[in-house]
Amino acid sequence: MLMLTLLMIAACTRERKIDVAASINPARMPSMTTTNVNTLISDSGVIQYKVVSPLWEIYNETDTPYWRFPEGLYLQKYDPYFQVIATVAADSAKYFTSERLWKLEGHVEMTKVPKDLFLSERIFWDQRRAQIYSDTFIHIENATHVLEGTGFVSNDRLTKYRILNPEGIFPVSNE
């Protein structure tokens, strides 16, 4: 009787196969993940940038391929003599490779030599149009003034910029 019961249980039990590969969506998974990134980027043998990030994910299997830096990004821009001329730090970032567009979010801080400081919650850097812009609050400090407002447009060297809805503190000479 025991043998008959065991045979019946064995006959009723089917092996279920799970197709793990069919349940994977490549568009939602990074095609490459790198941790503790500290790399230099050059153009024609001249170092242009230094990129530092705890985590770099690359998504190539999407309609719009992108890089993702979910744990923050620090970037240094160099002149031809390897002197730092600008820095960018953000809590998180995405780089849309086809559009050559950076989206920096969280606490975003950009500096430009000699002492210019730009602070915002979200900044876009469009490398195709050589333009930096924001649709959020921006705070700008330099040696002569402090500017604040909402919305910002600049060339990519941060030398010609405009705040769309400005507020500011300007020193006024009595002369």
Side-chain angles (χ1 to χ4, degrees):
M1 183 72 169
L2 178 62
M3 188 62 126
L4 183 60
T5 304
L6 288 175
L7 283 173
M8 288 178 67
I9 290 174
C12 292
T13 305
R14 289 188 195 161
E15 186 177 319
R16 292 178 37 193
K17 292 185 181 180
I18 299 173
D19 188 2
V20 175
S23 66
I24 294 175
N25 181 353
R28 295 181 63 194
M29 297 180 62
S31 52
M32 184 183 87
T33 300
T34 306
T35 58
N36 301 319
V37 176
N38 190 344
T39 190
L40 299 172
I41 298 172
S42 65
D43 182 15
S44 303
V46 178
I47 295 173
Q48 299 286 319
Y49 301 98
K50 178 180 182 178
V51 177
V52 179
S53 180
L55 180 63
W56 180 1
E57 299 173 328
I58 296 179
Y59 293 81
N60 286 327
E61 302 299 323
T62 66
D63 293 337
T64 307
Y66 63 94
W67 302 347
R68 184 171 169 250
F69 302 87
E71 296 179 14
L73 173 72
Y74 178 74
L75 177 92
Q76 288 180 329
K77 169 89 170 112
Y78 297 106
D79 69 8
Y81 305 102
F82 204 59
Q83 300 297 312
V84 176
I85 57 173
T87 65
V88 176
D91 290 342
S92 68
K94 274 188 179 180
Y95 176 66
F96 300 93
T97 56
S98 301
E99 293 85 2
R100 295 185 53 213
L101 176 68
W102 286 91
K103 180 181 181 182
L104 308 161
E105 292 188 295
H107 177 81
V108 181
E109 180 177 306
M110 299 185 305
T111 63
K112 181 182 78 84
V113 170
K115 292 187 178 184
D116 292 356
L117 173 66
F118 299 79
L119 301 171
S120 185
E121 298 171 6
R122 180 174 47 246
I123 291 181
F124 296 90
W125 174 18
D126 187 332
Q127 292 179 306
R128 279 188 182 163
R129 297 186 330 193
Q131 188 177 63
I132 296 173
Y133 59 93
S134 177
D135 57 356
T136 61
F137 178 79
I138 185 101
H139 173 92
I140 302 171
E141 291 181 26
N142 68 25
T144 61
H145 59 269
V146 174
L147 296 172
E148 291 183 339
T150 303
F152 166 78
V153 178
S154 174
N155 64 355
D156 65 347
R157 294 177 311 184
L158 297 171
T159 56
K160 295 180 181 180
Y161 53 83
R162 174 171 61 107
I163 294 180
L164 304 178
N165 297 303
E167 300 173 9
I169 301 168
F170 301 93
V172 177
S173 172
N174 289 337
E175 298 172 11

